[in-house]
Each structure stands twice: as C-alpha cells, then as structure tokens.
Amino acid sequence: MRRRFISIGFLILLVVCWELLSAGIGKPYILPSPSAVLGSLWENRREIFFTHLPATFTVVAAGGILAVLLGALFAVAMDWSPWLMQALYPILTVTQTIPVMCLAPVLVLWFGYTVRMRVIVVILVNFFTVTVDLSDGFRATREDRAELLCTFGADRLQEFWLLRMPTALPNLFTALKISVPWSVIGAAVAEWLGAPAGLGMYSRSCMMNLDAAGLLAPLMVLTALALFMNGILGLIEMRLMRWKGNL
Amino acid sequence: MLTLENIRFCYKNSAAPIFDGLSLRAEKGSFVSIIGASGSGKTTLFRLLNGLEQPEEGRILIDGEPLSAHRQYASYMPQQDLLFPWLTVEKNVMLPMTVQKKPKEEAAAKARELLRQVGLEGWENRWPRELSGGMRQRVSFARTLCAGGDILLLDEPFSALDSITRIQLQEWLMDQWKQLNKTILFITHDVEEAIFLSQKILVLTGHPVTGLMEFTVPMPKERNREMLLLPETARLKEDLIALLRREAKAEGTEGAERIHDADEAGIDR
Ligand SMILES: Nc1ncnc2c1ncn2[C@@H]1O[C@H](COP(=O)(O)OP(=O)(O)OP(=O)(O)O)[C@@H](O)[C@H]1O
Ligand SMILES: [Mg+2]
C-alpha cells in the first residue's frame, strides 16, 4: 500500500513537471500540456470513444485472440511431436527477432486497407511470443511427475491436462500479458498505414494538422485500454494461481 | 507372488550395469524390506517393478505372468513426494483415482478417509506449499494407498518424519498391512525400521548387484516394539549394520570412480 502511494505520488510529480515544462516552452504544437491533451480528449470524446475506440478494439481483440489460439495450437503440436519440435523451434526463435511490424506495408499490398490486414498484423506480432513462451512452459514439465502419473496409468491426454498444461500456465499468462500491449501497438501501427477508422488513424490525421494534443489523446486511450485488459488478466491469473501464494 | 529372474539392467547413458543376474521372490501378502547403501540401486529396482524401466535380460513375473499382462498391480510411492503444487491436498490424494476415471465423490471420500488415517484431517483444502516436509510425505503416502494396487512399492516413505510420527505411521502401516492383505516392498535406510516392520529383509550389495542377501526377521506377525530388544533381533540388527558398514567402506574406494563416470555421462539429477 505504502509503495503504491509512493509511485502514485511520483507520477503526479512527473505530470506536474510536464505541465510546467510545456508552459515554459509555450509552443503547444511541440509539447502540449497534459491538460491540453485531456481537453482535446474531452472535446472529441464522441468521435474517439464511439467511432475509433470500437474499431481499434475489434482489431486488438480479434487479432489477440486468434494469435493466442494459433500460438497455443503450435505449442501443443510441438509438445506432442518431438519431430515437429525439432523442425520448428529453432525457426521460431529466429523469426522472433524479425521486426514483424516492418512487414505491415507488404500486408497492405496483399490485403489492402482492410480489417483483415490489421488483424493479421496483430497476429504476426504476437504469434511467435505465445508459441515460444508456452512451448518453454510445456518443456518445464518435471519428468519424475510425468513418470508418477504414468504409474497411475495415465495416458498422454491425461498427462497433458493434469500435468503439462498446469505446468505451463504461468508461462501462458506471461505471454498473454506481453501480448496485450503488443496487440494494441500492432493495431495502432496498422491503422497508421491507413484505415477508415481507429485510434491510430485518428492520431495520424491529427499529426497532419499539427495538432499535438489531438495526437497524444488517442495514445492515452490506447494505454488505458492495454492497462485495463492486463488488469483483467491479472485478476484471472490471481484466481487460477492461488496455489502459488502471493503473486 | 512376485518373482524376478536373472535381471540384468543398465541405465542407457551409463556403461556399468546396476543389476546383473539379480533374482528375487516376494510371497503374496508379505512385507519385505530392502536396504542397501545409497546408490546401490534400490530405487532402480522399483523402477523396474513398476515398468518405468525395462530389464535388458531376465523376467519379472506376477503370479507367473509377465508384468505387461497386469495393469495397475503396483502402487509406487516415489522417494521425493512429487505433490502437484496446483492441486489441493485432497485433490493430490485423489489423483490416482482421477486418472482411473473413478466417480468424483467416491474418490474425494476415499481421499478424506486416507488423510484422516495419516493424521491430516482438516488439511484437505490446503496447498502443498503450506505443508511441512513430513506432512507432504504423508500426503504422498495417502496418495499411494489411493492408487489401490495389490503391491505397494514404498521408497523411503518415512524418511522425513520426526521419530514420534514415524513410529505412529509404522504401527499404522503394520495394521493396514494386516487388514488389507497387500504385498509391501519397503525401501529404508533405517535397519531398525526394517526389522520392526518386515518379515524378510533383502540387502543389496556390490556393483553391479548380482544377488540379494536375505534375512528372515525372527519375530511373529503380531509384534511390538519390545521385541526389538530380544537377543535374536538385536543380533540381526548388529549383523545388518556390520554388513552395511562393510559395503560403505567398499563403496568409499569404488564410489568416487563411479561418480566420475556418472559426470562423464552427463547425468543431471
Ligand atoms: N536415470 C539414471 N541414469 C543413469 N544412472 C542412474 C539414473 N538413476 C540412477 N542412476 C545410477 O544408478 C545407481 C543406483 O541409483 P538408485 O537411485 O537406484 O540408488 P538408491 O539405492 O535408490 O540410492 P538412495 O538410497 O540414495 O536413494 C546410482 O549409481 C545412480 O548414479
Ligand atoms: Mg533411492
């Protein structure tokens, strides 16, 4: 509680400094003050919250969920077949280092400025992380526990649900929590390239008008969105992982 | 009856065999203790018996039939408790029955009853991390009984217990054994524990183990702790201790070499 108090206090201090600095510079198109950003958010609340936020959220949710499903599918398949593991795992670890975001323009060529293109960007950004993290989680399964289950007569499916999945669960949550901000980033960048609606597209149109406050306002919404989703994930995690004690 | 005939076994990544020409017999319903120096192959013997390892040569027979013809005939209690940290104490005990797809209520009732018997009533809904080492061992023990095999393979089940709990559980195990008519194979480091509990004591000696030294405990099935002080029993205890001490000495010269071998083979334990 005390620590939280300190960090909130520090945050307020930072915002105040920003406000003062911006007043000192006196050029709102270079450094808008926090109050100006909030003002811009309030002024355009209709457009931001009812047109652009839903558009972005759809892409984030669809892309995020598909990425997790797809990534989990690959991880499970690799866990199931040592052969697939040997074939894919090295490739996956290498592809992780590709700046997938830079592929977005190529996707525009292929799919145009469509929802599908933006969803694919979000999937690509997250897929590898989920696969690799979850796969590492499965591999952390202790062999002696698996052997014990085997002496009870467990088949492979039972071993998976009773042992491998619970072992990998903490890793799954780590992957999910990393995926949330990256999904938001992926969606925003894809919208930057061009989209009929979305917070990224809104932010870009403000940039064209040299409206710095308007540019930052949707960023605040995006941040809040990511924080909110991770908060929910944290609650689920806490519930599922009570056995660990204080998280 | 459990029979091992001329077993030869060698771990895949090591050169020296653990067993060579090992034979063993355990009558149905008997209580057999197995003692031997650390690293002599006691746990390995159990791994062969529950099918986790296959012998290179020789046969393992249950009532004259090969091991593979039987399902779930043996319940194994590993040396480490291996509780599943994400399951409550009760769910851990139920695990074998969960795997066997028994009805939930039946399994839960059985688990609660077993937990009561090992003195853990009221701990059903706790997490393993909240338990002491000795309590975890008792949970693991209850889980083994829950598996319901005809042969119990207990790998040092009481090693982490304080002496009072240990004596209580030894006596409880004796009662269980008399009631349930199960065959029990019991690994222990403690000579006195082996004598108090078992009818027959087998000692593993040598590298590789080529045969077992067999000692019959000179006490009736109905026994009590005072009988440990009888001259015949005391004699047996001294003999066993002397034997183990000789083994340990031989181990001292030979052991370092074997540890070196194990390192070379990259064994990570
Ligand atoms: N998986 C393995 N691969 C190779 N060697 C092994 C393996 N497990 C055990 N060994 C070796 O087999 C020998 C017997 O091991 P085992 O675990 O059966 O001993 P133990 O009699 O149970 O000892 P303790 O009393 O310390 O539990 C040891 O020398 C050990 O190094
Ligand atoms: Mg052992």
Side-chain angles (χ1 to χ4, degrees):
Chain A
M1 205 56 230
R2 198 192 145 83
R3 262 166 45 199
R4 181 158 290 183
F5 193 72
I6 292 173
S7 78
I8 289 177
F10 190 66
L11 185 70
I12 292 174
L13 190 73
L14 278 181
V15 173
V16 170
C17 286
W18 177 7
E19 184 83 42
L20 291 178
L21 190 67
S22 137
I25 293 176
K27 290 178 183 149
Y29 54 89
I30 293 192
L31 186 65
S33 64
S35 53
V37 174
L38 278 178
S40 164
L41 187 64
W42 180 249
E43 229 164 80
N44 304 299
R45 59 189 180 277
R46 272 257 146 71
E47 203 185 340
I48 288 179
F49 287 105
F50 292 104
T51 314
H52 300 298
L53 179 62
T56 305
F57 184 74
T58 312
V59 172
V60 169
I65 289 171
L66 283 175
V68 170
L69 287 181
L70 223 71
L73 195 74
F74 264 73
V76 171
M78 276 171 20
D79 184 51
W80 210 257
S81 148
W83 184 86
L84 263 184
M85 173 71 94
Q86 278 168 17
L88 288 181
Y89 192 85
I91 302 181
L92 283 174
T93 41
V94 173
T95 41
Q96 242 190 335
T97 58
I98 298 178
V100 182
M101 219 77 87
C102 304
L103 289 178
V106 183
L107 293 170
V108 173
L109 285 184
W110 292 349
F111 300 106
Y113 296 111
T114 57
V115 174
R116 193 191 315 167
M117 172 256 156
R118 296 194 287 282
V119 169
I120 290 176
V121 171
V122 174
I123 293 176
L124 282 181
V125 169
N126 292 309
F127 166 79
F128 304 110
T129 318
V130 175
T131 310
V132 170
D133 266 12
L134 199 54
S135 175
D136 287 347
F138 287 137
R139 289 207 289 185
T141 304
R142 278 180 57 176
E143 193 52 36
D144 44 10
R145 287 209 179 99
E147 285 177 349
L148 183 69
L149 268 187
C150 182
T151 70
F152 295 154
D155 54 35
R156 274 194 94 180
L157 206 61
Q158 284 176 319
E159 186 192 318
F160 179 79
W161 286 113
L162 291 171
L163 177 60
R164 305 188 81 84
M165 198 58 215
T167 305
L169 209 59
N171 276 48
L172 178 64
F173 273 102
T174 313
L176 287 178
K177 283 179 170 168
I178 297 171
S179 290
V180 164
W182 277 105
S183 297
V184 172
I185 295 169
V189 169
E191 286 166 356
W192 257 78
L193 295 174
L199 292 169
M201 168 264 174
Y202 175 85
S203 171
R204 184 179 140 121
S205 64
C206 292
M207 186 195 74
M208 301 295 195
N209 301 329
L210 296 184
D211 175 4
L215 188 156
L216 288 180
L219 282 192
M220 283 177 70
V221 180
L222 287 173
T223 310
L225 180 66
L227 283 178
F228 175 70
M229 287 195 289
N230 264 351
I232 290 180
L233 275 180
L235 286 180
I236 299 175
E237 183 182 20
M238 213 140 80
R239 198 139 173 86
L240 284 181
M241 275 186 257
R242 270 172 309 171
W243 57 271
K244 269 198 164 174
N246 337 309
L247 277 172
Chain B
M1 189 168 68
L2 171 72
T3 331
L4 271 70
E5 290 175 358
N6 279 318
I7 297 295
R8 182 187 157 85
F9 176 75
C10 182
Y11 276 108
K12 276 203 190 63
N13 47 6
S14 81
I18 310 276
F19 302 127
D20 198 355
L22 176 82
S23 295
L24 180 162
R25 276 159 64 99
E27 308 296 331
K28 204 178 193 89
S30 61
F31 198 127
V32 179
S33 285
I34 296 162
I35 57 178
S38 178
S40 56
K42 304 182 295 295
T43 301
T44 309
L45 180 64
F46 275 13
R47 292 176 63 81
L48 285 162
L49 286 176
N50 60 29
L52 288 175
E53 308 283 353
Q54 308 299 326
E56 280 174 23
E57 284 168 26
R59 298 193 298 170
I60 302 175
L61 301 173
I62 317 279
D63 299 330
E65 289 175 60
L67 199 61
S68 49
H70 296 260
R71 286 202 82 215
Q72 268 34 87
Y73 75 97
S75 305
Y76 172 46
M77 175 174 170
Q79 198 164 358
Q80 291 90 24
D81 58 65
L82 299 184
L83 298 183
F84 287 22
W86 52 83
L87 296 178
T88 58
V89 167
E90 183 180 295
K91 293 255 162 59
N92 262 293
V93 176
M94 282 164 63
L95 196 60
M97 290 179 87
T98 310
V99 169
Q100 292 156 18
K101 303 203 171 76
K102 294 267 169 58
K104 259 210 177 100
E105 278 72 51
E106 187 193 326
K110 175 102 191 254
R112 277 196 295 275
E113 171 58 20
L114 285 167
L115 281 170
R116 194 184 60 73
Q117 291 182 352
V118 295
L120 287 175
E121 197 171 16
W123 290 85
E124 291 85 355
N125 296 318
R126 301 295 197 88
W127 302 109
R129 72 177 150 82
E130 299 171 304
L131 271 52
S132 72
M135 291 161 95
R136 295 169 63 102
Q137 213 171 19
R138 282 181 278 162
V139 175
S140 164
F141 186 43
R143 179 175 61 183
T144 309
L145 289 179
C146 199
D150 291 331
I151 302 180
L152 299 184
L153 305 173
L154 308 177
D155 198 344
E156 303 194 25
F158 302 147
S159 61
L161 301 180
D162 64 282
S163 54
I164 297 301
T165 316
R166 189 171 177 140
I167 288 172
Q168 277 173 356
L169 279 176
Q170 283 171 357
E171 281 164 4
W172 178 76
L173 180 63
M174 281 295 269
D175 285 342
Q176 289 293 310
W177 171 60
K178 286 176 207 156
Q179 279 171 33
L180 299 174
N181 195 31
K182 294 196 189 239
T183 312
I184 298 183
L185 266 58
F186 189 98
I187 293 178
T188 177
H189 270 130
D190 183 340
V191 172
E192 202 168 288
E193 182 172 71
I195 295 175
F196 176 63
L197 288 171
S198 47
Q199 300 173 300
K200 201 158 84 173
I201 297 175
L202 303 175
V203 188
L204 270 70
T205 52
H207 299 290
V209 180
T210 49
L212 296 165
M213 294 209 199
E214 195 175 317
F215 297 83
T216 306
V217 177
M219 286 199 282
K221 199 166 177 179
E222 294 301 327
R223 54 179 76 167
N224 56 43
R225 274 187 191 276
E226 279 85 75
M227 291 185 189
L228 285 173
L229 302 172
L230 292 174
E232 309 93 275
T233 352
R235 176 87 241 139
L236 176 60
K237 183 176 164 188
E238 289 314 313
D239 285 352
L240 286 171
I241 290 175
L243 177 61
L244 289 176
R245 198 172 270 165
R246 268 207 308 281
E247 271 301 299
K249 240 182 218 148
E251 180 92 355
T253 47
E254 213 179 308
E257 209 172 298
R258 287 190 316 118
I259 289 168
H260 179 70
D261 284 353
D263 281 346
E264 297 236 302
I267 293 159
D268 180 13
R269 303 206 66 198

